[in-house]
Amino acid sequence: MRQQTIIIICIFVLGLVFPFIDYLVVVETFFLLIPLAILLFASVALLIGYLFWDRTKLKRSIYFILAVPIFIAAQFISTWTVDEVQRLRSEFIIKEIESITTQIGQIPDRYPLTYGIKFSKIEDKNEFTLVYSRGFMITEKYNSKDKVWRSQGWND
């Protein structure tokens, strides 16, 4: 029982990290998407079947049945959470850079950032961009000229 719980926690943590490692995203997208979808539907069908017919088998195999749904749910949770946190941090940084710009009259050449947000000043213009990754090889990009966020995928 304890070993199965540790395995489920490891699967959940793996699901949290998976969307942010580009190589693993490519492998999942091109090689594991169909097997994961089949396993997800099979685990949901088994869960529903065991709930109605044989609960003793459900108690024995619940960790195996829930492994794929937990892995997939962890991926969605992590990408949504990172997107929300990075967007809030980026909005704060945008306000800070705009206040610096109003004080000194130009956008600073450098702005120190951490945690995956990248700042770059556009040469010969008084504009800047902020970029962060939200997982699954999708980046969010803000342009100070348009004041609009745009999503860019792996083929943009």
Side-chain angles (χ1 to χ4, degrees), residues 19-20 22 79 82-83 86-87 90 116-118 130-142 148-156:
F20 301 100
D22 291 341
T79 56
V82 165
D83 186 35
Q86 293 292 63
R87 179 66 61 103
S90 296
I117 300 175
K118 296 176 184 128
L130 283 181
V131 178
Y132 69 88
S133 173
R134 68 178 217 200
F136 290 114
M137 298 172 62
I138 297 173
T139 57
E140 294 289 325
K141 185 175 184 179
Y142 175 83
V148 174
W149 285 97
R150 287 189 170 59
S151 292
Q152 294 181 324
W154 62 275
N155 63 345
D156 290 335

Side-chain angles (χ1 to χ4, degrees), residues 5 14 19 27 33 35 45 47 53 66 81 86 94 97 99 105-106 112 118 134 146:
T5 306
L14 185 65
V27 168
L33 192 62
L47 185 63
W53 291 292
L66 292 179
T81 304
Q86 293 292 63
I94 290 167
I97 291 173
S99 71
Q106 65 180 4
K118 296 176 184 128
R134 68 178 217 200
D146 303 332

